[in-house]
Amino acid sequence: MPTPDTRVCFLGDSFTLGTGDPQGLGWPGRVLAAERLTGVDLTAYNLGIRGQTGAQIAERAAGEVAARLADRGDRRGVVICFGANDLYLGRPLSESVQATRGLLQWAKGEGYAAFIVASPPIAEPRLQPKQDALNNALAQVCADFAVPRLDLPTAVDDWSAWRGEAEAREGVHPGAEGYRRVAMAFEA
């Protein structure tokens, strides 16, 4: 019996895109590779865009995802990860929450499985309280929608590779090892 065709869109910002990864995989590419090794016929589309906020991602999601998932595949889903740009650009918490609610409502209406991934720790210590508040608020939204969520800041036990690679570059984006460690959190 053939395995079901599973298609997933990864929606997000530069961390979803994998900016800084010399192999061009980021964490979504590594998650895809790991799933294929287990025999899952997974087709993944990385729809990360550098510099985008949650509101911008929510605005473009329907059009971009429909072209890739509509009437295709036995199982279809979206993995959503954003937050760093919301924080860096000083967007109100309510805007990020509204974007997440809108994305989850849209996914539900389309019959897509949804999965939220909390944004990785950011390089600006002054923004840590705001990131904690954002993570807590998005955890509540996920609970309201009964949508699974991976809290990256706590799921990855050692962020030293991520931080070291980011510091060696422009201070924000890691290289291959940092993204590999994030992908490993999906296996746990």
Side-chain angles (χ1 to χ4, degrees):
M1 183 169 176
T3 60
D5 176 17
T6 303
R7 295 176 185 249
V8 176
C9 288
F10 290 86
L11 289 164
D13 54 23
S14 60
F15 291 135
T16 301
L17 181 61
T19 300
D21 184 353
Q23 297 170 351
L25 297 171
W27 60 265
R30 287 171 171 78
V31 169
L32 169 64
E35 287 299 306
R36 286 188 176 164
L37 287 174
T38 68
V40 175
D41 180 19
L42 179 64
T43 302
Y45 301 95
N46 190 327
L47 304 177
I49 295 182
R50 287 183 85 160
Q52 287 210 320
T53 64
Q56 291 170 314
I57 293 162
E59 185 176 308
R60 68 180 167 86
E64 290 191 18
V65 171
R68 291 158 179 91
L69 300 185
D71 300 324
R72 294 189 177 103
D74 298 326
R75 296 183 291 189
R76 299 168 291 166
V78 291
V79 177
I80 303 161
C81 180
F82 68 84
N85 293 315
D86 296 60
L87 296 169
Y88 282 121
L89 298 173
R91 304 307 309 155
L93 177 63
S94 60
E95 180 181 289
S96 303
V97 168
Q98 181 179 356
T100 304
R101 283 190 178 283
L103 283 163
L104 295 180
Q105 189 66 44
W106 157 78
K108 181 179 178 181
E110 293 296 322
Y112 302 148
F115 186 77
I116 298 287
V117 179
S119 184
I122 55 178
E124 295 286 332
R126 66 181 173 78
L127 293 176
Q128 189 59 55
K130 290 184 179 186
Q131 185 173 34
D132 293 342
L134 176 60
N135 283 343
N136 291 336
L138 297 187
Q140 183 58 55
V141 173
C142 289
D144 293 346
F145 280 85
V147 167
R149 176 180 169 272
L150 177 63
D151 183 31
L152 276 185
T154 59
V156 175
D157 61 353
D158 182 5
W159 287 97
S160 61
W162 178 285
R163 288 187 177 107
E165 288 175 336
E167 288 171 12
R169 296 178 35 76
E170 87 292 55
V172 177
H173 300 99
E177 182 59 20
Y179 286 117
R180 185 186 74 77
R181 299 241 178 140
V182 167
M184 288 173 49
F186 287 81
E187 298 172 17

